[in-house]
Amino acid sequence: MRALTMGLAVLGPLLVMTAMPLPARAESCDDLWYARNEIYKAQGYCFRTRRGIEAFGNAGCRYDNADEVPLSAAQRRTIADIQREERARRCPR
């Protein structure tokens, strides 16, 4: 929760590229889910779930396995922060 109150902007396409910290204005579990998966989409992940495909599509995707997506250390930290917050909020998986 502390990370959400740091006054940071919600991740956008530019921020995804630079791997900014957890979005400050994440109002819901849906916001957290979107911010996390936006990072994966920007790096070429091929979504498998209906929700992911509907939100992001799979045009131009290159990686079927999330573990193979080339993420920077900063992006990995951001994803871990988001996942921590999702657990704290008991967001559905």
Side-chain angles (χ1 to χ4, degrees), residues 29-30 33 36-37 49 51 82-93:
C29 288
D30 286 337
W33 177 89
R36 177 172 47 82
N37 284 291
T49 66
R51 182 181 184 190
I82 292 169
Q83 289 173 323
R84 242 185 321 280
E85 183 61 25
E86 287 175 311
R87 284 190 300 274
R89 290 186 185 199
R90 297 188 173 127
C91 295
R93 290 184 168 235

Side-chain angles (χ1 to χ4, degrees), residues 16-42:
V16 169
M17 300 277 233
T18 59
M20 295 301 288
L22 182 63
R25 306 251 184 246
E27 299 288 331
S28 68
C29 288
D30 286 337
D31 293 337
L32 291 166
W33 177 89
Y34 192 90
R36 177 172 47 82
N37 284 291
E38 190 173 37
I39 295 168
Y40 283 110
K41 172 61 177 178

Side-chain angles (χ1 to χ4, degrees), residues 3-71:
L4 289 177
T5 60
M6 294 175 64
L8 302 170
V10 173
L11 291 175
L14 178 60
L15 297 179
V16 169
M17 300 277 233
T18 59
M20 295 301 288
L22 182 63
R25 306 251 184 246
E27 299 288 331
S28 68
C29 288
D30 286 337
D31 293 337
L32 291 166
W33 177 89
Y34 192 90
R36 177 172 47 82
N37 284 291
E38 190 173 37
I39 295 168
Y40 283 110
K41 172 61 177 178
Q43 296 306 113
Y45 180 65
C46 300
F47 292 91
R48 295 182 196 166
T49 66
R50 181 179 191 166
R51 182 181 184 190
I53 294 167
E54 287 177 358
F56 299 104
N58 275 333
C61 72
R62 297 179 308 277
Y63 304 96
D64 290 322
N65 184 335
D67 293 334
E68 294 175 1
V69 177
L71 300 170

